[in-house]
Amino acid sequence: MASSKLFCFITFSSYLLLLPFFVSPSFADSNATSPVSQGAICKSTPDPSFCKSVLPTQSANVHEYGRYSVRKALSQSRQFLKMVDKYLNHKSSLTISAIRALEDCRFLAGLNMDFLLTSFQTVSATNQTLSSWKAEDIQTLLSAILTNQQTCLDGLQSTASAWSIKQGLAVPLSNDTKLYSVSLALFTKGWVPKRKKSTTWRPPRKQSGFRHGRLPMKMSGQTRAIYESVSRRKLLQSGSGDEVLVSDIVVVSPDGSGNFSTINDAIAAAPNNSKSTDGYFLIYVTAGVYQEYVSIGKNKMYLMMVGDGINQTIITGNRSVIDGWTTFNSATFAVVAPGFVAVNITIRNTAGAIKHQAVALRNGADLSTFYSCSFEAYQDTLYTHSLRQFYRECDVYGTVDFIFGNAAVVFQNCNLYPRLPMTGQFNAITAQGRTDPNQNTGTSIHNCTIRAADDLALSNGTTQTYLGRPWKEYSRTVYMQTSMGSLVNRAGWMAWNATFALSTLYYAEYNNTGPGSNTTNRVAWPGYHVINATDAGNFTAENFLLVDDWLPQAGVPYTGGFM
């Protein structure tokens, strides 16, 4: 034990000397830069015992400890990716379901490396408390890393044939997750301001029409008409008078009359690694049924996809867990590229209730927006997987846990339609998956309407519908100013398993209306609250997502505060 402690001491000391961006403590808050013991700093983390096992033993300040933990986390993420690749190099000995679970893990591990590199660059650059926006960026990435870990683990655990793989990856998955939790806790303590404060968004400069002239020659006579009808009429309803900045536009039409006949081909043609100041690459998807699995990778940033309307432009698939897919890769439509916007599109998974988990949309795209879209499936319809998301005037249909995941997400002016499940099943609108108290994640449902879908309304059955249940230990969901139909069970919320998470979850209701909103007979869990306007204000779009800093450029209407 003595030699291992000496090794940690030498590594840490050398690391501090080599830091290229080390900032003098004189620039930072005196409390944050005062050296404290390993034991003292670890008390601020969820698992002090593990924290003490990974941090160096000599005294340091929170920024030094924080940089050390993020750097170590980046190194561990690389090692884990190598382990996953080692298994995938022997695919011939694996079942299809095991391969799919491992491919999910590889994909998520790659994202983790990206997120940790960005985080390390930020914490290495300053000892000062960051601006609200920059702190939110890094806290979001570190929160998503934990979510990615959990998703990998969930996929492996649900794959019966992957027992040996689970045995081999379980310990590194667990230890890495604990290390990432330490990094998030120390970042929160050392760099995050005590109160969020959004700043007023300003466009790069006011634009008229297209910023660039990179338009397909054969479309030159049509692009402006499309831009006017699609971008201005359908998007800019907020009265701001600003135009959406568009760099290029392509048309997808199933009859071959556009630039592309498939959505994925149009995505492939989009530029890589665009910036918000470049403008959106607009993909106009004309009316039709598109039977394809759409995937928008991390390099296809700032895409805008606009259809002809709900039930006019339809993207559909039928993958499910019963048919051998993981929940994660059962999605008809999956996106991880930052800045994605979708408008006037229906996304379906038609596998049916009998196939259990079958996702319509999986969204892991930071600063993403869905406006006037419909998501239709049964169990696990809408996977709000991670990062920051906003939904406005959307319809969501489903049965069990039909809005689930661990994003920081706001649903505003949306319609939530519980539908008829299989015999013996219940409906749970949400299953929020927060696993760590320092994650800035949760589901905020604001000014929405909950009503029975037609099949449930006509069933005259005994299906019970609940506002949500705790998928993970720190599950967090808030309903505000929402109209709740009589179908909502009087208890409101349902336990996941006995007393699991009832003390650690945060479920809250504020100023809801309708026959299902009466809180008199709600659950008496320690984590359930009927809150006031001050507490509810933390979950408005402007405070929970800092939307004023990024949403105006998408051109969609939104309300920052209460209605």
Side-chain angles (χ1 to χ4, degrees), residues 47-303:
D47 190 341
S49 177
F50 179 83
C51 173
K52 287 195 288 187
S53 75
V54 294
L55 290 187
T57 55
Q58 79 274 23
S59 295
N61 64 44
V62 65
H63 299 114
E64 292 163 349
Y65 282 128
R67 277 188 282 272
Y68 177 84
S69 67
V70 174
R71 181 173 181 266
K72 186 175 179 66
L74 180 57
S75 175
Q76 289 301 109
S77 69
R78 292 192 184 105
Q79 292 304 313
F80 183 74
L81 183 57
K82 289 179 181 177
M83 293 180 67
V84 173
D85 281 336
K86 201 176 279 189
Y87 282 108
L88 284 171
N89 286 336
H90 300 87
K91 285 185 177 180
S92 59
S93 63
L94 302 175
T95 63
I96 291 295
S97 59
I99 291 171
R100 286 171 176 164
L102 283 168
E103 286 175 341
D104 288 352
C105 290
R106 179 169 61 184
F107 175 77
L108 294 162
L111 292 177
N112 281 355
M113 288 176 57
D114 293 343
F115 296 166
L116 282 163
L117 181 58
T118 299
S119 301
F120 181 65
Q121 290 169 341
T122 298
V123 299
S124 296
T126 183
N127 280 352
Q128 293 180 305
T129 298
L130 296 170
S131 67
S132 295
W133 179 245
K134 190 60 179 177
E136 191 77 3
D137 274 350
I138 303 305
Q139 192 175 12
T140 295
L141 296 180
L142 293 174
S143 295
I145 289 162
L146 288 167
T147 302
N148 291 343
Q149 289 287 106
Q150 187 64 53
T151 303
C152 170
L153 180 61
D154 288 344
L156 291 173
Q157 288 179 335
S158 64
T159 305
S161 59
W163 186 86
S164 62
I165 299 172
K166 283 183 279 189
Q167 292 297 105
L169 295 179
V171 172
L173 259 176
S174 175
N175 287 341
D176 290 354
T177 298
K178 291 176 182 178
L179 176 59
Y180 300 159
S181 177
V182 169
S183 297
L184 175 59
L186 295 180
F187 176 80
T188 303
K189 185 175 179 64
W191 283 272
V192 176
K194 287 182 169 52
R195 286 184 62 82
K196 292 180 182 178
K197 183 180 178 183
S198 64
T199 57
T200 303
W201 179 86
R202 295 284 186 271
R205 61 189 175 100
K206 190 169 182 178
Q207 301 296 328
S208 177
F210 298 104
R211 181 176 181 182
H212 303 299
R214 303 192 310 269
L215 305 179
M217 292 302 293
K218 69 173 183 177
M219 295 295 295
S220 59
Q222 303 176 29
T223 49
R224 183 162 297 280
I226 294 170
Y227 175 72
E228 293 291 334
S229 65
V230 174
S231 293
R232 297 198 64 176
R233 179 170 57 83
K234 295 184 179 181
L235 296 181
L236 296 176
Q237 299 177 10
S238 60
S240 66
D242 293 329
E243 291 184 331
V244 174
L245 181 61
V246 175
S247 64
D248 207 344
I249 184 167
V250 296
V251 178
V252 179
S253 181
D255 64 6
S257 61
N259 301 87
F260 303 97
S261 58
T262 71
I263 297 169
N264 281 310
D265 283 346
I267 293 167
N272 294 331
N273 302 314
S274 295
K275 298 179 177 62
S276 60
T277 52
D278 294 333
Y280 292 101
F281 183 86
L282 196 155
I283 300 173
Y284 175 38
V285 186
T286 62
V289 177
Y290 297 82
Q291 295 182 335
E292 56 179 310
Y293 294 96
V294 175
S295 180
I296 303 177
K298 64 183 181 181
N299 61 331
K300 298 297 182 178
M301 301 174 181
Y302 293 96
L303 289 187

